[in-house]
Amino acid sequence: MDNREGNNDIESMEGLGREVERNGSGFEDEKEAGMRQPLLLRKRTMNTTSQIAIVGANVCSIESLDYEIVENDLFKQDWRSRKKVQIFQYIVLKWTLALLIGLGTGLVGFFNNLAVENIAGFKLLLTSDLMLEHRFFAAFLAYSGCNLVLAAAAAAICAYIAPAAAGSGIPEVKAYLNGIDAHSILAPSTLFVKIFGSVLGVSAGFVLGKEGPMVHTGACIANLLGQGGSRKYHLTWTWLRYFKNDRDRRDLITCGAAAGVAAAFRAPVGGVLFALEEAASWWRSALLWRTFFTTAVVAVVLRALIEYCRSGKCGLFGEGGLIMFDLSSTITTYSTPDLVAILVLGVIGGVFGGLYNYLLDRILRTYSIINEKGAPFKILLTITISLLTSCCSYGLPWLARCIPCPADLQDQCPTIGRSGNFKNFQCPPGHYNDLASLFLNTNDDAIRNLFSGNTDNEFHMSTLFVFFTAIYFLGLVTYGVAVPSGLFVPVILAGASYGRIIGTLLGPISDLDTGLFALLGAASFLGGTMRMTVSVCVILLELTNDLLMLPLVMLVLLVSKTVADGFNLGVYDQIVKMKGLPYMEAHAEPYMRHLVAGDVVSGPLITFSGVEKVGNIVHALRLTGHNGFPVIDEPPFSDAPELCGLVLRSHLLVLLKGKRFTKERVRTGVTELLQRFGAFDFAKPGSGKGLKFEDLDIQEEEMDMYVDLHPITNTSPYTVVETMSLAKAAVLFRQLGLRHLCVVPKTPGRPPIVGILTRHDFVPEHILGLFPHFNPHK
Amino acid sequence: MDNREGNNDIESMEGLGREVERNGSGFEDEKEAGMRQPLLLRKRTMNTTSQIAIVGANVCSIESLDYEIVENDLFKQDWRSRKKVQIFQYIVLKWTLALLIGLGTGLVGFFNNLAVENIAGFKLLLTSDLMLEHRFFAAFLAYSGCNLVLAAAAAAICAYIAPAAAGSGIPEVKAYLNGIDAHSILAPSTLFVKIFGSVLGVSAGFVLGKEGPMVHTGACIANLLGQGGSRKYHLTWTWLRYFKNDRDRRDLITCGAAAGVAAAFRAPVGGVLFALEEAASWWRSALLWRTFFTTAVVAVVLRALIEYCRSGKCGLFGEGGLIMFDLSSTITTYSTPDLVAILVLGVIGGVFGGLYNYLLDRILRTYSIINEKGAPFKILLTITISLLTSCCSYGLPWLARCIPCPADLQDQCPTIGRSGNFKNFQCPPGHYNDLASLFLNTNDDAIRNLFSGNTDNEFHMSTLFVFFTAIYFLGLVTYGVAVPSGLFVPVILAGASYGRIIGTLLGPISDLDTGLFALLGAASFLGGTMRMTVSVCVILLELTNDLLMLPLVMLVLLVSKTVADGFNLGVYDQIVKMKGLPYMEAHAEPYMRHLVAGDVVSGPLITFSGVEKVGNIVHALRLTGHNGFPVIDEPPFSDAPELCGLVLRSHLLVLLKGKRFTKERVRTGVTELLQRFGAFDFAKPGSGKGLKFEDLDIQEEEMDMYVDLHPITNTSPYTVVETMSLAKAAVLFRQLGLRHLCVVPKTPGRPPIVGILTRHDFVPEHILGLFPHFNPHK
């Protein structure tokens, strides 16, 4: 189905590299390559279809991240060189924004919890009431009907309002922080759907979690706040216009992602580590500090609201403090046989995790074909999966035998009401159905049941086995539907069940509680799928409050990650790759070692003179999609042609829109420019809000006039010599977060610039060309 | 006393920047600058004296960190392009080394604990036995005598064997990871002194901790293992020669530093975060993974050994699991007044922390004058401080009143034996002296007492006040003596005492336990001095196992760090700066924005031809201290003079030592070179082990022969154009971890290289010139 060459190893990637060279496809932008070189063997195509699983539509690289430095005289008018009052204002604003992100994400996290508890709680109570009256079919209808309605609502808002809100969102946030601004991925509509879709989806009893969506929600909130609100929805704060650059915006979104994890797991340190380990591509120590503040705010907000609800003011939402699954009362002593058990768990987690990722990949590819057909098909698919889930949850417990309630028990048995370990289901009084306790519960409660200590005999082996199998496959088939869906919860559920199985098997030789084995199983499966280490470890620590398990959790994660890394990529990396997002890795690709920078650029390049004819600029902007153009100073402005710098498309559009043209070819300078433009006119607009080429309105007679590009030229672009190893150029490009890297000639007597390297030159082509059948041009 | 100009603000730094330009002091190395420009207004001097507080002796920058990429044909023979078996071998080795570092550091940490407990325990038992017999003067003699002997022993080994082992070691490790290889800072002798000196120093009752020394110990162990052992001490493992490059070595030392924190605090996640937040200058995600493994090994080793000792097999070392100060049993509920209390604590912590750093700076400057006079003076100073500490610890408790033992108590009162909350001291039976409980204990026990919950009335306000004042100032005067000394413990002690004071004061309006106030006080003071955030937070979490306190600890840290940042730098940064280590910050200095790269370089530069006369090379190596030389290809090897690349001094020395010279000026190529040299000959040797200029033995007739430099030239050096903003060049330099950055001309028709920027060009001069009176040349 797809182009299998993408999965080849280093040797073939070297081959690919040479192919790049041979094709001379080092154009600035893929559009130009496609336009000028129709004979290109494998076209540099971008996936522009819109579907659920594969959202890589209208991918747009974020503007040069080469921010930090005030680049030319014009930008010196920026706030950075303004008065101290304004710098102070900026710092206060920065922290205020972090506070607001924390507050917002904390509130959303709480709302999510509250809504899910009340909706799902109502559904479960209704079902169990009907069960108590032995109206089993009515109970099934009520249960699956509720699920269906909730699922359809979630799918509908997702499919019609914001298709980008489907799925986890973590891969997209990760890609954004790497410099890839996928279409409307952080838009207000996405935020709306993500919040409500997640509530509906989790309430609908799907095997999915709220963690990925919470991360995405946090990022969306950060984006909304950082852009100074949304003009479209008439929400604007003009005092937020200081944050019109990519660095500040990326910092805010990193804070938002961390806040999302903190809100989902009530794990503030885990959130910071997640942002560091999984989300961010560029990290500064100042960011650690700010992220930490945001997650602390989230923790305080959550704690205060939970405290407020403790006395029953929030309906069915009740118990549970900041620690979601408290295990600290369980006694933790472990010995050598336990270490062997942990190795076994780690290996199993690695194998299951690798398989999970492989199967998820297959399923997402299949789903994307269905989802591509349109919104009704998306809803249909969601409804099908909802019915399947309902059948499993309600049908499978009939297979389990009724177990008499244990005698010495403090809890109620059978459970009355919504949650609890001992669901009565079809059983006679004084008995409980252990499979129903897992299935007919919210996912959080099921995890709590599996983690609960001193319950060695509560769940039968067969029960755990059935539950594991069902959850493993339901988790797989659920992820691709048009509903915001996190992967953590299914993975923790499946991992905890096989952890309990191993724990029960090893019961005779191990002192460790089966509840702790469930925790270790969850850790192993998380390590096998997500491939995160420190952050998963700290998240689990903060979830369970059991510090003594930390060394064991660390070891099991190490083993499972190592084993799974032998099979395939982590699940998020895999989704990023599958969606065709041109993610740039931190290291250079092996084939780049055998090339030099000059190998992958090829002329003729479009350059401008320092003072250029308006018509030439308009022509170049119309014909190409380039985002950066080299500016060459020529006589009479310099002795010999020399590279003056780089000018950005967005700045050119603003300049042309301002219409400060001259009849003669003269330098007008900065002061002239400043009479027409304010400092913020050239600041980066929010995504999708900048000037477009169509907004220009240049008259015919203006086409022959001149405009001075010097004031808007970045006169210090980063450059490499054409004989520089491509791998080293890639390291430079990635480390500094560039978007354009000028390649200059080694020997004199040639034009002062050989070409420009852009992000696409450094992302192996097989990623972009992985889905030829998704290319609408084909 | 010192040159006050170093403390000026941005404006004067701009001035400084211009001065650099005017003086043209952009030489490759400060030696050259000093040599050729005697008229330099402020000489670029390096601190080369050896003293305790100021060890910046013989600072040597680490070789170019521009590693990752195989740089030329010769190095392609390196392991990276060898067979898969060897790559596998390398990966296995890497992990084995991480395992060994973890094991080694864990064992040292355990040994340290064990030895301190037994030595200090014996001393305290002896004293309390004498006290029980009312032989108070004998008790004082025994106590202070033991302290004196231990202190003198610690000072003696430190002063005579390894002066570099004095102090914390964290600033030096931080500087090493930034690329500054201070003399013998990671040598085996330093390791030896650090291990035993720390045991003796802590046992001697000084107000100092073992955490800084443990970090340094971990780094030393990592360095020893990474270098393949020490040739000097006949400890070599040849199979470790794969790690002959800076990146691998730095990675190992990062792991070692993390392992040190993990061993000192039994805090594996805290160790990883410490390495990330405080120690490392360059961070890769792969490192997170490996550091994490190392600290997990440390945790397992410690846990196993503590388990082994639980049954009393290790003498006086007994109680305490992996959690050092377990607070998890304390009930944590907090309300709004507590948040106000936390703000107050944060502000106090910030003020006290800022003052602490300021005073420490003053004291270290004074001490360095004493320590400079020689080893006997160092020992004398140590003995004086030891006597002062003994007098305080033994004398001050006499001021405290005897308190009757509380009635409803599970613990023994008064305490019999070594540790415990209720020291009898001079009191009648049934009474205890609360000040003695704090002073006549090991520091760990004193912290445990202060943190202990449900003990609101155990310590009097006056007691806490006296203890706080004594510890605050003893901690300050102790740090600079010739003993390995950590700062964490004094800071935690002082913070915990004022935390308890505030807690007692706020008792009527706050529900929080005073033990938890002690924890918050410790956090606030740590934030005020160290200025770390996430790592301190996680370390405290792992120390106390009290997850519910996390949001409060986070808030108090935020406030105290913010307040203290208004006053001065963090304590480690301050020591780095004071020691004259040319630490390179992650951001460009403000004055650099107004300069271009060409401004700070000035000729004439020493360059070599592609095939150079041996005599010229020998001459250049003898006359200059440069570590990198540009190689220029000239006709007949190229059409016009062009920059071929950069050769390193160390490689030139190896090449000259090999004596493959030719009579004619011809290119010999790589194959010829490989007949003489192995791939590892050019690998980076351990610090201080490389070839020196004196090792060369070039005959007179060989001076007129030629040698081909092409095979050892890095043909892809990073370059910037001379008109590049210096700030952007600095960002490039720092982000990529370079040591040399070539500046090339903008316009053709000039020599192909304008100059080289090195580390010293980017470190503000006032740091290097801060201590003119320490300069031996003056």
Side-chain angles (χ1 to χ4, degrees):
Chain A
M1 170 191 134
D2 58 287
N3 184 344
R4 301 292 303 157
E5 279 178 54
N7 293 332
N8 288 351
D9 59 359
I10 293 176
E11 275 65 34
S12 89
M13 284 168 73
E14 285 179 20
L16 266 173
R18 293 214 185 81
E19 209 168 314
V20 174
E21 180 187 1
R22 208 174 328 108
N23 297 335
S25 63
F27 282 88
E28 276 194 83
D29 238 84
E30 77 290 347
K31 285 188 190 170
E32 189 189 20
M35 191 181 70
R36 293 209 194 157
Q37 298 227 348
L39 296 176
L40 207 62
L41 281 187
R42 185 179 312 146
K43 263 204 285 184
R44 212 169 256 220
T45 53
M46 293 290 279
N47 172 14
T48 51
T49 49
S50 132
Q51 68 297 98
I52 297 288
I54 315 292
V55 297
N58 306 324
V59 169
C60 154
S61 296
I62 294 175
E63 214 46 78
S64 175
L65 302 179
D66 148 22
Y67 36 77
E68 191 74 71
I69 312 302
V70 179
E71 285 178 345
N72 58 31
D73 293 335
L74 182 70
F75 293 169
K76 278 195 187 140
Q77 306 297 324
D78 209 335
W79 61 264
R80 281 176 199 273
S81 43
R82 286 186 182 192
K83 290 188 206 85
K84 284 204 171 173
V85 174
Q86 279 170 314
I87 289 178
F88 178 73
Q89 207 177 355
Y90 170 78
I91 291 169
V92 169
L93 264 178
K94 215 167 62 171
W95 287 93
T96 312
L97 273 181
L99 179 76
L100 288 177
I101 293 169
L103 276 177
T105 315
L107 286 174
V108 169
F110 177 72
F111 165 75
N112 188 308
N113 253 329
L114 192 69
V116 166
E117 285 285 316
N118 281 304
I119 299 175
F122 174 77
K123 180 187 76 181
L124 290 170
L125 268 183
L126 183 70
T127 314
S128 69
D129 284 350
L130 289 168
M131 295 287 293
L132 273 180
E133 298 165 25
H134 289 273
R135 295 164 61 189
F136 295 125
F137 189 66
F140 174 69
L141 282 188
Y143 180 74
S144 60
C146 285
N147 284 351
L148 206 80
V149 170
L150 293 167
I157 59 171
C158 188
Y160 286 108
I161 302 179
S168 159
I170 292 178
E172 286 84 357
V173 172
K174 195 176 167 175
Y176 183 91
L177 293 175
N178 188 262
I180 306 149
D181 193 3
H183 181 62
S184 80
I185 204 66
L186 297 175
S189 58
T190 310
L191 172 63
F192 171 80
V193 172
K194 209 84 195 187
I195 294 175
F196 291 96
S198 173
V199 167
L200 293 170
V202 175
S203 306
F206 279 125
V207 182
L208 49 76
K210 62 173 191 292
E211 304 73 27
M214 276 306 302
V215 170
H216 196 169
T217 303
C220 288
I221 291 175
N223 186 54
L224 193 66
L225 289 171
Q227 287 191 11
S230 160
R231 222 183 299 157
K232 193 171 159 195
Y233 297 94
H234 303 287
L235 293 163
T236 45
W237 298 278
T238 46
W239 48 273
L240 288 177
R241 64 196 169 136
Y242 292 101
F243 291 89
K244 294 280 181 197
N245 72 66
D246 283 310
R247 188 182 60 141
D248 287 330
R249 217 170 278 169
R250 212 176 50 230
D251 286 359
L252 288 175
I253 283 162
T254 309
C255 286
V261 172
F265 294 114
R266 306 181 194 164
V269 180
V272 173
L273 285 174
F274 173 84
L276 167 66
E277 186 177 4
E278 188 63 25
S281 289
W282 290 279
W283 188 263
R284 301 172 303 125
S285 59
L287 206 50
L288 194 67
W289 187 208
R290 200 130 52 95
T291 320
F292 186 48
F293 174 71
T294 317
T295 58
V297 171
V298 171
V300 169
V301 167
L302 281 180
R303 167 126 198 158
L305 288 172
I306 289 169
E307 204 64 40
Y308 173 79
C309 284
R310 198 183 282 278
S311 42
K313 291 177 194 132
C314 314
L316 288 167
F317 177 81
E319 56 168 334
L322 204 60
I323 313 299
M324 287 172 87
F325 314 117
D326 204 331
L327 286 181
S328 56
S329 57
T330 319
I331 298 140
T332 315
T333 47
Y334 41 87
S335 47
T336 323
D338 296 325
L339 292 178
V340 178
I342 278 159
L343 289 182
V344 172
L345 266 182
V347 172
I348 294 177
V351 172
F352 278 151
L355 185 68
Y356 197 87
N357 292 1
Y358 173 78
L359 292 176
L360 195 66
D361 190 70
R362 297 286 106 188
I363 288 171
L364 286 182
R365 281 161 200 266
T366 317
Y367 277 11
S368 70
I369 298 170
I370 302 171
N371 285 330
E372 235 184 350
K373 293 187 199 298
F377 286 85
K378 288 181 188 179
I379 298 173
L380 211 63
L381 180 65
T382 313
I383 286 175
T384 315
I385 300 297
S386 171
L387 276 176
L388 179 67
T389 310
S390 297
C391 291
C392 283
S393 321
Y394 191 85
L396 289 176
W398 291 95
L399 300 176
R401 278 177 304 157
C402 290
I403 307 171
C405 284
D408 51 339
L409 202 73
Q410 290 167 341
D411 300 355
Q412 280 179 316
C413 176
T415 305
I416 298 165
R418 187 183 61 78
S419 68
N421 284 10
F422 303 102
K423 288 263 171 181
N424 191 231
F425 206 62
Q426 92 286 18
C427 295
H431 288 67
Y432 71 98
N433 183 324
D434 56 350
L435 199 47
S437 302
L438 296 176
F439 268 126
L440 286 179
N441 243 334
T442 58
N443 292 332
D444 282 2
D445 281 327
I447 294 177
R448 198 171 288 126
N449 286 350
L450 285 171
F451 279 4
S452 61
N454 301 318
T455 52
D456 291 4
N457 301 312
E458 196 180 311
F459 298 102
H460 271 277
M461 284 289 282
S462 56
T463 300
L464 291 170
F465 187 76
V466 170
F467 185 70
F468 166 69
T469 316
I471 290 293
Y472 192 90
F473 290 103
L474 281 178
L476 281 171
V477 297
T478 309
Y479 182 74
V481 302
V483 166
S485 49
L487 275 169
F488 269 93
V489 162
V491 167
I492 290 178
L493 273 176
S497 14
Y498 76 70
R500 256 194 119 85
I501 294 176
I502 303 280
T504 314
L505 285 177
L506 293 178
I509 58 158
S510 165
D511 298 335
L512 219 54
D513 194 276
T514 40
L516 298 181
F517 265 109
L519 171 65
L520 291 173
S524 75
F525 200 27
L526 282 172
T529 46
M530 316 269 168
R531 316 287 162 84
M532 293 185 277
T533 54
V534 187
S535 44
V536 163
C537 208
V538 175
I539 287 173
L540 284 177
L541 169 67
E542 291 188 291
L543 276 179
T544 58
N545 194 15
D546 193 356
L547 197 59
L548 291 171
M549 287 296 283
L550 191 59
L552 296 188
V553 171
M554 284 174 128
L555 281 186
V556 86
L557 272 171
L558 276 164
V559 176
S560 67
K561 181 183 149 81
T562 311
V563 169
D565 273 344
F567 296 121
N568 44 28
L569 286 177
V571 66
Y572 296 129
D573 290 321
Q574 195 175 281
I575 294 172
V576 164
K577 197 171 161 186
M578 199 173 57
K579 290 194 172 181
L581 301 172
Y583 190 86
M584 202 175 164
E585 295 291 342
H587 51 85
E589 301 293 328
Y591 73 85
M592 293 180 181
R593 290 212 193 138
H594 307 280
L595 295 175
V596 297
D599 287 341
V600 295
V601 298
S602 74
L605 191 69
I606 296 183
T607 60
F608 295 135
S609 289
V611 181
E612 184 59 87
K613 204 178 258 185
V614 174
N616 289 348
I617 298 174
V618 171
H619 190 70
L621 290 179
R622 186 191 297 131
L623 281 187
T624 72
H626 298 198
N627 278 293
F629 299 88
V631 175
I632 311 265
D633 261 340
E634 278 158 355
F637 301 112
S638 70
D639 299 335
E642 60 178 43
L643 180 64
C644 171
L646 201 70
V647 34
L648 295 180
R649 164 180 279 263
S650 57
H651 294 172
L652 282 175
L653 288 171
V654 175
L655 189 73
L656 292 184
K657 186 84 183 162
K659 297 203 173 191
R660 279 274 161 176
F661 306 138
T662 50
K663 285 234 158 53
E664 301 303 314
R665 199 178 175 203
V666 288
R667 289 185 68 151
T668 51
V670 179
T671 37
E672 162 77 10
L673 197 77
L674 281 179
Q675 291 166 10
R676 177 64 187 81
F677 296 102
F680 287 105
D681 287 347
F682 287 97
K684 168 137 205 218
S687 26
K689 287 185 204 154
L691 277 174
K692 307 232 162 7
F693 179 75
E694 295 74 35
D695 300 335
L696 290 186
D697 171 33
I698 306 287
Q699 306 302 317
E700 197 57 51
E701 69 269 20
E702 287 171 333
M703 294 294 251
D704 283 332
M705 293 171 79
Y706 288 91
V707 62
D708 184 7
L709 297 181
H710 288 99
I712 62 160
T713 302
N714 168 10
T715 53
S716 289
Y718 284 103
T719 56
V720 290
V721 181
E722 57 184 338
T723 55
M724 170 71 107
S725 147
L726 186 61
K728 289 181 89 167
V731 168
L732 166 64
F733 192 89
R734 165 61 209 249
Q735 292 285 336
L736 302 183
L738 302 183
R739 183 161 180 195
H740 302 106
L741 179 59
C742 302
V743 181
V744 296
K746 179 157 195 171
T747 47
R750 290 168 48 196
I753 182 163
V754 174
I756 288 184
L757 289 171
T758 65
R759 281 185 71 90
H760 300 140
D761 293 315
F762 291 117
V763 175
E765 202 153 347
H766 66 98
I767 289 183
L768 298 177
L770 196 62
F771 294 103
H773 67 285
F774 285 142
N775 179 12
H777 308 299
K778 195 178 174 179
Chain B
M1 168 190 138
D2 57 287
N3 186 344
R4 300 294 300 158
E5 279 177 55
N7 292 333
N8 289 351
D9 58 359
I10 294 176
E11 274 67 34
S12 87
M13 285 168 73
E14 285 177 20
L16 266 173
R18 293 214 185 79
E19 207 170 314
V20 174
E21 180 187 359
R22 206 175 330 108
N23 297 334
S25 62
F27 282 88
E28 276 193 79
D29 237 84
E30 79 290 345
K31 284 187 189 169
E32 189 187 20
M35 192 179 70
R36 294 210 193 155
Q37 296 228 349
L39 295 177
L40 206 62
L41 282 185
R42 185 177 313 145
K43 263 202 286 185
R44 210 169 259 222
T45 53
M46 292 289 280
N47 172 13
T48 51
T49 50
S50 132
Q51 68 296 99
I52 297 287
I54 316 292
V55 295
N58 305 323
V59 170
C60 154
S61 296
I62 294 175
E63 216 44 80
S64 175
L65 301 178
D66 150 19
Y67 36 77
E68 190 74 70
I69 311 302
V70 178
E71 286 178 344
N72 57 32
D73 292 335
L74 182 68
F75 293 169
K76 277 195 191 141
Q77 305 299 322
D78 208 335
W79 62 265
R80 281 177 199 273
S81 43
R82 287 186 183 191
K83 289 187 207 85
K84 286 204 170 173
V85 174
Q86 279 171 315
I87 291 179
F88 178 73
Q89 206 176 357
Y90 170 78
I91 290 169
V92 169
L93 265 178
K94 216 166 63 171
W95 287 92
T96 313
L97 273 181
L99 179 75
L100 287 177
I101 293 169
L103 276 177
T105 316
L107 286 174
V108 169
F110 178 72
F111 166 75
N112 188 310
N113 253 330
L114 192 69
V116 166
E117 285 285 318
N118 281 305
I119 299 176
F122 173 78
K123 181 187 75 181
L124 291 170
L125 269 183
L126 183 69
T127 313
S128 70
D129 284 351
L130 288 168
M131 295 288 293
L132 275 179
E133 297 167 24
H134 289 272
R135 294 164 62 188
F136 295 125
F137 189 66
F140 174 68
L141 281 188
Y143 180 72
S144 61
C146 284
N147 282 353
L148 206 81
V149 170
L150 292 168
I157 58 171
C158 187
Y160 287 109
I161 301 180
S168 159
I170 292 177
E172 287 84 357
V173 172
K174 194 176 167 173
Y176 183 91
L177 293 175
N178 188 261
I180 306 150
D181 193 4
H183 181 62
S184 79
I185 203 67
L186 297 176
S189 59
T190 310
L191 173 63
F192 171 81
V193 172
K194 210 85 194 185
I195 294 174
F196 291 97
S198 172
V199 167
L200 292 169
V202 175
S203 307
F206 279 123
V207 182
L208 49 76
K210 61 172 192 291
E211 303 72 27
M214 276 307 300
V215 170
H216 196 168
T217 303
C220 288
I221 290 175
N223 186 54
L224 192 67
L225 289 172
Q227 288 191 9
S230 162
R231 222 182 299 158
K232 193 172 159 195
Y233 297 96
H234 302 287
L235 293 163
T236 45
W237 298 277
T238 45
W239 49 273
L240 289 176
R241 66 198 167 134
Y242 290 100
F243 291 89
K244 293 281 181 195
N245 72 64
D246 283 309
R247 188 182 60 142
D248 286 330
R249 216 170 279 169
R250 211 174 52 228
D251 286 359
L252 288 175
I253 283 163
T254 309
C255 286
V261 173
F265 294 113
R266 305 181 195 164
V269 179
V272 172
L273 285 174
F274 172 84
L276 167 66
E277 185 177 5
E278 188 64 25
S281 290
W282 291 278
W283 189 263
R284 301 172 302 126
S285 58
L287 206 51
L288 194 68
W289 186 209
R290 200 130 51 96
T291 319
F292 187 48
F293 174 71
T294 317
T295 59
V297 170
V298 172
V300 169
V301 167
L302 281 179
R303 166 124 198 161
L305 288 172
I306 289 169
E307 206 65 40
Y308 173 79
C309 285
R310 199 183 281 277
S311 43
K313 291 177 195 133
C314 314
L316 288 168
F317 177 82
E319 57 169 332
L322 203 60
I323 313 299
M324 287 173 87
F325 314 118
D326 203 332
L327 286 181
S328 57
S329 58
T330 318
I331 298 139
T332 314
T333 48
Y334 42 87
S335 48
T336 323
D338 296 325
L339 291 179
V340 178
I342 278 158
L343 289 183
V344 172
L345 266 183
V347 172
I348 294 177
V351 172
F352 278 150
L355 185 68
Y356 197 88
N357 292 1
Y358 173 77
L359 292 175
L360 194 66
D361 190 70
R362 297 287 107 189
I363 289 172
L364 287 182
R365 279 161 201 266
T366 318
Y367 276 11
S368 70
I369 298 170
I370 302 171
N371 285 331
E372 233 184 350
K373 293 188 201 297
F377 285 86
K378 289 180 186 178
I379 298 174
L380 211 62
L381 180 65
T382 313
I383 286 175
T384 314
I385 300 297
S386 170
L387 276 176
L388 180 67
T389 310
S390 297
C391 290
C392 283
S393 322
Y394 191 85
L396 290 176
W398 291 95
L399 301 176
R401 279 177 304 157
C402 291
I403 305 171
C405 284
D408 50 340
L409 201 73
Q410 291 167 342
D411 300 355
Q412 280 180 318
C413 177
T415 305
I416 297 164
R418 188 182 59 78
S419 68
N421 285 10
F422 304 102
K423 286 265 171 179
N424 191 231
F425 205 62
Q426 91 287 19
C427 294
H431 289 67
Y432 71 97
N433 183 324
D434 56 351
L435 198 49
S437 301
L438 296 176
F439 268 128
L440 287 179
N441 242 335
T442 56
N443 292 333
D444 282 2
D445 281 327
I447 295 176
R448 199 170 286 126
N449 286 350
L450 286 171
F451 280 4
S452 61
N454 301 319
T455 52
D456 291 4
N457 301 312
E458 196 182 309
F459 299 102
H460 270 277
M461 284 290 282
S462 56
T463 299
L464 291 170
F465 188 76
V466 170
F467 185 70
F468 166 68
T469 317
I471 289 295
Y472 193 90
F473 290 103
L474 282 178
L476 280 171
V477 297
T478 308
Y479 182 73
V481 302
V483 166
S485 50
L487 276 169
F488 269 92
V489 162
V491 167
I492 291 178
L493 274 176
S497 15
Y498 76 69
R500 256 194 120 86
I501 294 177
I502 304 279
T504 314
L505 285 177
L506 293 178
I509 58 158
S510 165
D511 299 335
L512 219 54
D513 194 276
T514 41
L516 297 182
F517 265 110
L519 170 64
L520 291 173
S524 75
F525 200 27
L526 282 173
T529 47
M530 315 270 168
R531 315 288 161 83
M532 294 185 276
T533 53
V534 186
S535 44
V536 163
C537 211
V538 174
I539 287 173
L540 285 177
L541 169 66
E542 291 187 291
L543 276 179
T544 59
N545 194 16
D546 194 357
L547 197 59
L548 290 172
M549 287 296 283
L550 191 59
L552 296 188
V553 171
M554 285 174 127
L555 282 186
V556 86
L557 272 171
L558 276 163
V559 176
S560 68
K561 181 183 149 80
T562 311
V563 170
D565 273 345
F567 296 120
N568 45 29
L569 286 177
V571 67
Y572 295 129
D573 290 321
Q574 196 175 282
I575 295 172
V576 163
K577 196 170 160 185
M578 200 172 58
K579 288 194 173 180
L581 301 173
Y583 190 86
M584 201 173 166
E585 295 292 341
H587 51 85
E589 300 295 327
Y591 74 85
M592 292 180 182
R593 293 215 188 134
H594 307 279
L595 295 175
V596 297
D599 287 341
V600 296
V601 298
S602 75
L605 191 70
I606 296 182
T607 59
F608 294 135
S609 289
V611 181
E612 183 61 89
K613 204 178 255 186
V614 174
N616 289 348
I617 299 175
V618 171
H619 190 68
L621 290 179
R622 186 191 297 131
L623 281 188
T624 72
H626 298 198
N627 278 292
F629 299 88
V631 175
I632 312 267
D633 261 339
E634 279 159 354
F637 302 113
S638 70
D639 299 335
E642 60 177 43
L643 180 63
C644 171
L646 202 69
V647 342
L648 294 181
R649 166 179 280 262
S650 56
H651 293 172
L652 281 174
L653 288 171
V654 174
L655 189 72
L656 291 183
K657 185 83 181 166
K659 297 202 174 191
R660 280 274 160 174
F661 306 140
T662 50
K663 283 236 158 57
E664 301 304 314
R665 200 176 174 205
V666 288
R667 288 183 70 151
T668 50
V670 179
T671 37
E672 162 76 12
L673 196 78
L674 282 178
Q675 291 166 9
R676 175 65 187 81
F677 297 101
F680 287 104
D681 287 347
F682 286 97
K684 172 143 198 212
S687 28
K689 286 186 205 154
L691 277 174
K692 307 231 163 8
F693 179 74
E694 296 73 38
D695 299 336
L696 290 186
D697 172 34
I698 306 288
Q699 305 302 317
E700 197 57 50
E701 70 271 16
E702 287 169 331
M703 294 295 252
D704 283 333
M705 293 172 79
Y706 288 92
V707 64
D708 183 7
L709 297 181
H710 287 99
I712 62 160
T713 302
N714 168 9
T715 52
S716 289
Y718 284 104
T719 56
V720 290
V721 181
E722 56 184 340
T723 54
M724 169 70 106
S725 148
L726 186 62
K728 289 181 89 167
V731 169
L732 167 64
F733 193 88
R734 164 63 210 249
Q735 293 287 336
L736 301 184
L738 302 183
R739 184 162 180 194
H740 303 105
L741 179 58
C742 301
V743 181
V744 296
K746 180 158 193 168
T747 46
R750 291 169 48 196
I753 181 161
V754 174
I756 287 185
L757 289 170
T758 65
R759 279 185 73 90
H760 301 140
D761 293 314
F762 291 116
V763 176
E765 202 153 348
H766 66 98
I767 289 182
L768 298 178
L770 196 63
F771 295 104
H773 66 285
F774 284 142
N775 177 11
H777 307 299
K778 195 175 174 180

